Amino acid sequence: MSSNPKILILTARYGNGHVQVANTMYEQCKKQGIDNVVICDLYSESHPVFSEITQYLYLKSFSIGKQFYRLFYYGVDKMYNKRMMNLYYKIGHKKLHEIILAEQPDILINTFPMIVVPEYRRKTGNVIPTFNVLTDFCLHKIWVHENIDKYYVATNHVKEKIIQLGIHPSLIKVTGIPIRPQFEQEAKEEDLHKKYGLSRDKKTLLIMAGAHGVLKNVKELCQYFLAKEDLQIIVVCGKNQTLKDTLSPLAQAYPDRMKALGYVENVDELFHITSCMITKPGGITLSEAAALGVPVILYKPVPGQEKENAIFFEDTGSAVVVYKHEDIYDAVEEVFKDDAKLNSMKDKIHKLHLSNSSEVILDDLLKEAETMQSTKRIKGSVNYY
């Protein structure tokens, strides 16, 4: 294999996590001098209408569609069989074939579980080294297939789940989930406190309220905690302009203790100065929190990977899971009134972090791909294409 192989990264826009990991792997390739890299949202390119509808249903699962998503996530897991694989294989197969013919990739990386990719090898005999980069702290069977050459996972817990499905341990590497490099860099907290107009002497509650509008009554929550003089609040509203407009008068009334922000590009800066965060349990957000040792209060996880992520973090003692809005108040107070508990959560979540995941993954899969190609050459095999 050349020192500059052609890499095709396949992903899907069901939440931001899969695409974010794809982008992180893309940037790591560039950093290591690999410039023949293409990211493809396979489902959007092959079935745009189907993809748009299913992405809409996915977003609705955070509010009115929880039962639908529960049925999909756990139902597919239970019904996972040859018939199901054939159905998934048909979704995107034609487009995948076109892309492979056009791009002639040396390596395939999946950041979304698409059975069509490993099934393509089984159906066509076209052997391209194929690697799955899992994006959650739990496992869905749809990630696992006999024609995946190696799995890169967040924890030993996920590795054990894959082994139970019959995959050899040598084909699974615990690397953590790739995150943006700024979450693993040092920062001067004093400068960041000044930048955002906050005090270093007060505890800071970060509320990630923008994602899908799932956190209700944010204004009332802020009003309640602003009554506590030793606490300051940052609310990230994302693209939810209505929420930002609602909170702006309150932030103006407490300019030294509350910040209402829209979309924040350098959200890592906020993580650096945060004592505890209220958020949804997405795999990437949790990985970023672990990197900087930010304890989390996980609000109302959706059935599926979010709920499984939440359970894992709660079991490790690094998170508190809240299922009812009225319980958020007690959960926050419980965490902030007990410094020993807060520090324990901080320590436990940071222990879940594995450094330089994207670099470790890329180095390893390049070696694996080279070994596969060398083996083929020794056996006198024809080229991949």
Side-chain angles (χ1 to χ4, degrees):
M1 181 172 294
S2 72
S3 59
N4 192 18
K6 184 64 174 284
I7 298 179
L8 176 60
I9 303 175
L10 296 163
T11 191
R13 296 185 180 278
Y14 295 92
N16 294 324
H18 306 290
V19 175
Q20 196 164 303
V21 169
N23 290 334
T24 300
M25 291 304 302
Y26 177 90
E27 292 301 328
Q28 185 62 42
C29 289
K30 295 290 187 179
K31 183 179 178 181
Q32 294 187 211
I34 301 172
D35 52 21
N36 293 318
V37 190
V38 175
I39 297 178
C40 174
D41 183 347
L42 183 62
Y43 290 156
S44 290
E45 291 193 24
S46 59
H47 298 281
V49 175
F50 171 80
S51 180
E52 188 174 337
I53 291 171
T54 53
Q55 286 175 32
Y56 172 80
L57 292 173
Y58 171 79
L59 290 177
K60 284 299 180 183
S61 71
F62 291 93
S63 51
I64 62 174
K66 291 185 177 65
Q67 297 305 321
F68 166 81
Y69 194 72
R70 177 189 285 114
L71 177 63
F72 170 78
Y73 185 89
Y74 295 107
V76 169
D77 192 59
K78 290 179 180 178
M79 294 185 295
Y80 186 78
N81 51 33
K82 209 164 190 178
R83 195 172 178 184
M84 182 64 68
M85 286 202 308
N86 286 334
L87 173 63
Y88 274 95
Y89 173 69
K90 293 176 182 178
I91 301 176
H93 166 69
K94 182 179 178 181
K95 187 64 179 181
L96 178 62
H97 182 63
E98 291 174 358
I99 293 169
I100 287 176
L101 288 178
E103 301 292 345
Q104 295 286 295
D106 299 302
I107 293 170
L108 298 176
I109 299 174
N110 298 311
T111 69
F112 185 81
M114 292 175 278
I115 292 178
V116 61
V117 181
E119 278 288 285
Y120 180 82
R121 178 193 296 187
R122 189 175 71 85
K123 294 278 188 177
T124 65
N126 189 0
V127 180
I128 306 171
T130 303
F131 305 96
N132 278 0
V133 180
L134 279 66
T135 55
D136 284 292
F137 291 82
C138 58
L139 175 70
H140 194 289
K141 288 180 183 177
I142 203 170
W143 280 102
V144 180
H145 192 284
E146 62 183 350
N147 287 323
I148 295 298
D149 296 302
K150 199 156 187 178
Y151 302 83
Y152 299 97
V153 302
T155 64
N156 281 309
H157 171 74
V158 178
K159 180 175 181 176
E160 289 301 319
K161 293 288 184 182
I162 298 178
I163 291 172
Q164 290 171 16
L165 294 177
I167 302 301
H168 195 277
S170 66
L171 302 182
I172 313 160
K173 188 174 180 65
V174 180
T175 60
I177 298 172
I179 57 174
R180 290 167 288 180
Q182 55 264 40
F183 284 90
E184 296 184 302
Q185 295 170 355
E186 296 291 329
K188 291 184 178 180
E189 293 185 10
E190 183 177 359
D191 292 344
L192 292 177
H193 278 98
K194 288 180 180 178
K195 177 178 178 178
Y196 290 99
L198 296 169
S199 170
R200 296 187 67 192
D201 301 321
K202 298 180 188 295
K203 292 175 181 174
T204 304
L205 174 65
L206 174 61
I207 302 175
M208 301 296 287
H212 314 305
V214 291
L215 185 61
K216 306 299 181 185
N217 303 318
V218 177
K219 183 178 180 180
E220 289 78 1
L221 191 67
C222 292
Q223 288 172 325
Y224 181 84
F225 285 112
L226 283 170
K228 303 181 183 302
E229 294 291 335
D230 60 342
L231 189 62
Q232 52 197 2
I233 303 169
I234 307 172
V235 183
V236 176
C237 304
K239 297 177 181 179
N240 190 338
Q241 187 61 43
T242 301
L243 176 61
K244 188 174 184 298
D245 291 342
T246 300
L247 295 178
S248 289
L250 193 60
Q252 291 168 9
Y254 294 88
D256 297 330
R257 293 182 48 225
M258 181 177 170
K259 307 297 171 182
L261 309 176
Y263 177 77
V264 179
E265 182 66 36
N266 299 319
V267 72
D268 57 292
E269 295 181 345
L270 302 181
F271 280 40
H272 272 288
I273 58 175
T274 292
S275 309
C276 184
M277 172 172 60
I278 300 175
T279 187
K280 297 289 287 181
I284 310 307
T285 298
L286 291 173
S287 296
E288 293 170 345
L292 293 175
V294 181
V296 287
I297 296 173
L298 304 174
Y299 175 68
K300 219 170 185 178
V302 171
Q305 67 268 28
E306 276 207 0
K307 184 175 181 180
E308 301 303 319
N309 286 340
I311 291 171
F312 174 76
F313 272 74
E314 186 175 47
D315 287 347
T316 64
S318 56
V320 175
V321 183
V322 177
Y323 292 95
K324 296 180 181 179
H325 173 77
E326 56 268 24
D327 293 337
I328 292 181
Y329 299 90
D330 290 340
V332 174
E333 286 191 307
E334 189 71 25
V335 169
F336 278 117
K337 76 178 182 182
D338 188 345
D339 286 343
K341 178 172 182 177
L342 188 62
N343 290 331
S344 175
M345 290 176 68
K346 183 179 179 71
D347 181 59
K348 288 175 179 176
I349 195 169
H350 190 54
K351 284 180 178 177
L352 295 174
H353 174 61
L354 296 174
S355 301
N356 304 313
S357 295
S358 59
E359 181 180 352
V360 172
I361 291 170
L362 185 58
D363 286 345
D364 189 79
L365 70 81
L366 288 173
K367 290 176 184 176
E368 293 288 340
E370 177 62 35
T371 299
M372 287 179 65
Q373 189 182 59
S374 298
T375 302
K376 293 289 184 184
R377 282 199 298 264
I378 291 171
K379 291 182 178 180
S381 173
V382 296
N383 290 333
Y384 290 143
Y385 307 106

